[in-house]
Amino acid sequence: MTSGIGAAEPMQTTRAAIGDSDPDGADRYNYAYLDEQTKRMIRRCLLKALAVPGYQVPFGSREMPLPYGWGTGGIQVTASIIGPDDVLKVIDQGADDTTNAVSIRRFFARVAAVETTEATAEATVIQTRHRIPEQPLREGQILVYQVPQPEPLRKLEPREGETRKMHAYAEYGLMHVRLYEDIARFGRIATTYSYPVMVNGRHVMSPTPIPKFDNPKMGGNPAVQLFGAGREKRIYAVPPYTDVRSLDFEDHPFAIQRWDECCALCGAGDSYLDEVILDDRGGRMFVCSDTDHCGTRRARGHTGRLGADAATAAAAKPRGAAR
Amino acid sequence: MTAAFETGFDTSRLATGFADPVLDAQAAFRRLLAAFSYVGRIQEVAEIAEIPAPLNAATASFCLTLADLETPLWLDGAAGRPAVAAWLRFHCGAPLADAPEGAAFAVVADPAAMPRLDRFAPGTDQYPDRSCTVVIQVEALSQGQGQGQGQTLRLQGPGIDGTLDLVVTGLPPWFAETWALNHAIYPMGVDLVLTCGRKLVALPRGTRIEG
């Protein structure tokens, strides 16, 4: 902390916001875990990232109390923006109840005194790993993506110095060649997740490993989309109402996945479905990957093929064991 | 400790900064994040009890929220008063830049006399983020059609749903010209924050301006 005049007194205001009873020792840390200088550095990067949509801003990623790959980048972004008035939702592959989502939600409830929710509509900040919620987002909501590999060109060109030049000169031919090779080999573009996008007509960006099903939700979205890659030390952003196009060819236009089945629990025919193996005799079901979407629909009385049988649904619930 | 410096500046009279340095900075940052997300929409920050003249609350909030030892700060002639410099040095710990070229942040209190935007760092083609953010204090800011005086800027670009009108009083007459040059070198270029009292609005480099 850079101490200001009478720093001791204002700090108590912050403490009061966290709450007096603190058995976890959260008050041994600054509000929202990160120190203020780190937050300022990340906040400056976030504004530059919004000013140049899709461009990866290098930042001084800090060591976090969890390993790389568990969302350290997303957590640092969330920690730098979150305040006591926020309502936080965390999803992992669309689910609110997986280990990663539960522990990140609990972390921020402890260190930032925020309210948490599983309802997409109630959240002001949504930290996500690999999905965009099914329910359309609204103005003022902030979607924070956890990013494993921010560089869409990395598999084509391993040298950072070279990829940086490719972005600087908008030299994206190699990416089109990669997609073309897919067509030559498989007759179609076989990429189904991390499907590269062109942002604001200038920067090719990795949408993170979201399924390409979610790509169309990125463009023209009224919500703010922020991306944090902790291990790779990059932050990028897509402001609201920004043009985001999935790369394609005139004769091979971009298309999202479709399923022959509906969600077995809620009957949704327009959501992203996960396949769940039910037994060792080939039995399987498809269920919504977005647990809040599925739950909300079931609460409204929608039922799928297996939804009415509560016992089957409970036994088949894909992530029940992860709690 | 009321000893005056040799410059005659008395540190015991330093204006205070944020009342709560943690949560006030967080709240102010969220307004800035909204400003850079919803480009051209006016945001309002909270009042600050003591601010050295001629800074307004929005400019002061910007500096307290984002400036620190890593960000050289340039002040124009009107803003570069000893009280302002001492206040910024103390609360932000930011080194003061001698010239606009070397600044990460710049504060312009007298836009009529401000340098053209190409004097500020635009970043490099490989690192367009290494550019200056210029805070300009203007006389009046409002949304929608202008009533009488004020320059109506029609904005278009990322962060704007269609087009948006912003009415600004106090920008230099050559603003549109210097902005067009700044926008033309995208993704390089400076980003602007216009402030007036507690109001602020962001104009990132990607914004097209007509009028």
Side-chain angles (χ1 to χ4, degrees), chain A residues 24-103:
Chain A
D24 305 326
D27 72 350
R28 284 172 226 163
Y29 294 94
N30 186 32
Y31 178 77
Y33 186 78
L34 294 176
D35 62 281
E36 288 301 297
Q37 217 258 313
T38 299
K39 285 190 204 167
R40 271 193 301 274
M41 175 268 295
I42 293 175
R43 286 167 179 170
R44 290 193 292 262
C45 292
L46 286 170
L47 298 188
K48 289 297 173 196
L50 285 163
V52 189
Y55 164 74
Q56 302 162 47
V57 183
F59 83 109
S61 178
R62 302 298 194 243
E63 203 154 304
M64 298 301 286
L66 76 171
Y68 290 133
W70 287 77
T72 53
I75 290 176
Q76 289 178 77
V77 170
T78 301
S80 304
I81 62 175
I82 208 159
D85 298 335
D86 278 312
V87 180
L88 178 71
K89 171 184 165 82
V90 184
I91 50 173
D92 176 2
Q93 304 263 17
D96 292 275
D97 54 3
T98 58
T99 314
N100 198 201
V102 169
S103 51

Side-chain angles (χ1 to χ4, degrees), chain A residues 18-318:
Chain A
I18 295 174
D20 294 332
S21 61
D22 184 26
D24 305 326
D27 72 350
R28 284 172 226 163
Y29 294 94
N30 186 32
Y31 178 77
Y33 186 78
L34 294 176
D35 62 281
E36 288 301 297
Q37 217 258 313
T38 299
K39 285 190 204 167
R40 271 193 301 274
M41 175 268 295
I42 293 175
R43 286 167 179 170
R44 290 193 292 262
C45 292
L46 286 170
L47 298 188
K48 289 297 173 196
L50 285 163
V52 189
Y55 164 74
Q56 302 162 47
V57 183
F59 83 109
S61 178
R62 302 298 194 243
E63 203 154 304
M64 298 301 286
L66 76 171
Y68 290 133
W70 287 77
T72 53
I75 290 176
Q76 289 178 77
V77 170
T78 301
S80 304
I81 62 175
I82 208 159
D85 298 335
D86 278 312
V87 180
L88 178 71
K89 171 184 165 82
V90 184
I91 50 173
D92 176 2
Q93 304 263 17
D96 292 275
D97 54 3
T98 58
T99 314
N100 198 201
V102 169
S103 51
I104 292 173
R105 222 168 30 235
R106 196 187 289 153
F107 174 75
F108 281 111
R110 265 171 69 181
V111 301
V114 290
E115 209 182 302
T116 61
T117 183
E118 295 192 3
T120 304
E122 286 170 17
T124 55
V125 177
I126 304 173
Q127 184 170 325
T128 176
R129 175 175 173 271
H130 307 357
R131 270 316 305 280
I132 299 175
E134 302 289 357
Q135 177 169 342
L137 301 177
R138 57 165 201 277
E139 282 198 359
Q141 286 185 311
I142 301 174
L143 189 58
V144 179
Y145 295 76
Q146 301 173 195
V147 185
Q149 174 52 264
E151 180 50 75
L153 304 168
R154 184 60 71 234
K155 281 187 180 164
L156 307 171
E157 172 50 71
R159 291 166 296 182
E160 167 67 14
E162 291 302 311
T163 52
R164 194 152 276 281
K165 279 183 211 157
M166 290 159 82
H167 286 296
Y169 310 134
E171 188 66 64
Y172 295 130
L174 203 55
M175 184 58 95
H176 281 102
V177 170
R178 200 206 93 192
L179 297 176
Y180 171 74
E181 281 177 347
D182 261 14
I183 296 171
R185 200 174 301 164
F186 308 112
R188 65 197 162 83
I189 298 174
T191 307
T192 54
Y193 67 97
S194 271
Y195 192 106
V197 292
M198 173 68 85
V199 180
N200 190 28
R202 176 59 181 80
H203 282 94
V204 165
M205 182 188 96
S206 165
T208 81
I210 59 170
K212 67 175 181 176
F213 179 88
D214 286 339
N215 274 24
K217 300 176 191 169
M218 286 191 142
N221 199 314
V224 186
Q225 300 173 76
L226 307 175
F227 301 76
R231 182 187 50 219
E232 303 294 326
K233 303 178 171 56
R234 296 290 183 276
I235 281 172
Y236 54 102
V238 175
Y241 310 114
T242 298
D243 186 45
V244 179
R245 278 168 210 273
S246 303
L247 299 181
D248 62 357
F249 299 95
E250 272 173 28
D251 51 345
H252 284 273
F254 173 80
I256 60 172
Q257 294 102 324
R258 301 259 174 231
W259 289 262
D260 295 332
E261 300 202 34
C262 296
C263 171
L265 301 179
C266 78
D270 56 355
S271 67
Y272 187 80
L273 301 178
D274 286 338
E275 183 181 357
V276 180
I277 306 295
L278 295 177
D279 50 39
D280 56 3
R281 298 185 305 278
R284 55 184 197 166
M285 69 196 276
F286 287 88
V287 291
C288 291
S289 117
D290 185 333
T291 52
D292 172 55
H293 181 71
C294 197
T296 308
R297 279 179 52 85
R298 274 179 285 158
R300 288 189 188 139
H302 296 280
T303 318
R305 186 168 60 87
L306 300 172
D309 183 352
T312 313
K317 195 162 188 246

Side-chain angles (χ1 to χ4, degrees), chain A residues 10 13-14 31 37 40 43-44 48 50-51 53 55 81-83 86 139-140 164-165 168-169 200 222 224 240 242, chain B residues 19-22 26 29-30 37-38 41 65-66 68-71 105 125-129 131 133 158-159 186 191:
Chain A
T13 323
T14 307
Y31 178 77
Q37 217 258 313
R40 271 193 301 274
R43 286 167 179 170
R44 290 193 292 262
K48 289 297 173 196
L50 285 163
Y55 164 74
I81 62 175
I82 208 159
D86 278 312
E139 282 198 359
R164 194 152 276 281
K165 279 183 211 157
Y169 310 134
N200 190 28
V224 186
T242 298
Chain B
D20 183 330
V22 174
Q26 187 273 334
F29 175 69
R30 284 295 280 275
S37 299
Y38 300 97
R41 286 196 217 171
T65 304
L66 295 176
D68 61 25
L69 72 167
E70 295 179 340
T71 57
F105 294 126
D125 51 7
Q126 294 191 27
Y127 293 94
D129 55 301
S131 60
T133 305
Y186 184 89
D191 305 314

Side-chain angles (χ1 to χ4, degrees), chain B residues 6-29:
Chain B
E6 285 170 9
T7 54
F9 189 77
D10 183 355
T11 50
S12 68
R13 301 249 177 92
L14 265 176
T16 55
F18 281 139
D20 183 330
V22 174
L23 295 186
D24 288 356
Q26 187 273 334
F29 175 69

